[in-house]
Amino acid sequence: MEEVSLSGRVAVVTGAGGGLGRAYALELARRGAAVLVNDTGGTLDGTGQTSAADAVVEEILGLGGRAASNQDSVSTPEGGEAMVAAALDRFGRVDAVVNNAGILRDKSFGKIDWDDFHAVQDVHLRGAAYVSQPAFRAMREQGYGRFVFVSSNAGTFGSFGQASYGSAKAGVIGLAQVVAIEGQRHGILSNVVCPLARTRMTESMLDAPEALSPEHVAPLVAYLASERCRETHQVISAGAGHFARVFTGLGAGWQADPAEVVSAEAVAEHMDRILDSSTYSIPLSAPEELEMLAPYVAARTAAGQAV
């Protein structure tokens, strides 16, 4: 079995002071990467500050690895720029970014405090963009890079009381897909991990701490951050040693008669076919879906009906 190595590579891991981020940083370091361990040391809601990043750096150094700590916040463009600059100054390059930083301020949708909503978006979604853009530019210059965006099943499937978190995590997937499309010609790959693990953020919802250890997710992150990885534009669920692709598919659907104007009644009558997922395709970009629609557009245009 060919080894997955990050020897000579430099990785930035955000929110790496504990839980999943710590597990990612340690795994990348064990496989040879120099790691910039970023964490503000805040509590679950993003307040407060400790030396969590320093503690993880000490662990990595104790294992004989290379690491440096960083306390810049992902929630501002300046923080993202400073973080990437710190990695470049200390290690000379940036090969991989793991966008893991996150906070929770859960409330049911009808009770959302908008300051809390914006704070969650600032860390998860905007934070991922703020860190990734300067890293993307550095990777583009060197012709190589790997992005691992961390999303959640709250973003793919929804979760009660997590409108702010779920919408941010869904946005992370959209961001990652665009980075995959724009980065591919520069040797930059971008993928998403949706971890299922028991951490500070999930301990109130998940039992079985051993089976749902962050260490069961870290190997996937290490692979996606490595030169061995050839996949891009993928979303992968990981937990308890189980890994599976998560995807958005386009069903075969129902095509209205191109010679007729479509009515709401016709849509209602054919909803079963519209929602049927037994046959599907998986577009890898918005233009690709439009290409799939082209024959139907042509048929309706030929029939003289408005598209």
Side-chain angles (χ1 to χ4, degrees), residues 122-145:
D122 284 344
V123 173
H124 289 277
L125 177 53
R126 294 185 180 90
Y130 293 153
V131 176
S132 296
Q133 189 192 58
F136 184 93
R137 290 169 176 162
M139 292 174 181
R140 185 175 58 193
E141 288 185 12
Q142 66 195 23
Y144 175 90

Side-chain angles (χ1 to χ4, degrees), residues 190-204:
S190 173
N191 293 286
V192 179
V193 173
C194 295
L196 292 165
R198 184 181 174 90
T199 67
R200 284 193 309 162
M201 292 180 73
T202 61
E203 63 185 358
S204 63

Side-chain angles (χ1 to χ4, degrees), residues 234-292:
Q234 301 301 321
V235 181
I236 302 173
S237 172
H242 178 263
F243 307 90
R245 183 184 186 187
V246 180
F247 58 89
T248 299
L250 185 67
W254 165 69
Q255 174 59 43
D257 185 338
E260 297 181 0
V261 176
V262 183
S263 68
E265 290 77 14
V267 171
E269 184 178 346
H270 293 91
M271 190 54 67
D272 286 347
R273 287 182 60 186
I274 292 170
L275 297 180
D276 180 17
S277 59
S278 59
T279 302
Y280 60 85
S281 56
I282 305 174
L284 293 180
S285 68
E288 192 169 309
E289 182 185 1
L290 290 175
E291 288 177 13
M292 295 176 180

Side-chain angles (χ1 to χ4, degrees), residues 162-187:
Q162 294 196 305
S164 56
Y165 177 75
S167 59
K169 286 304 193 185
V172 165
I173 294 175
L175 173 62
Q177 306 296 42
V178 172
V179 172
I181 292 168
E182 296 188 6
Q184 195 160 15
R185 66 192 178 104
H186 301 292

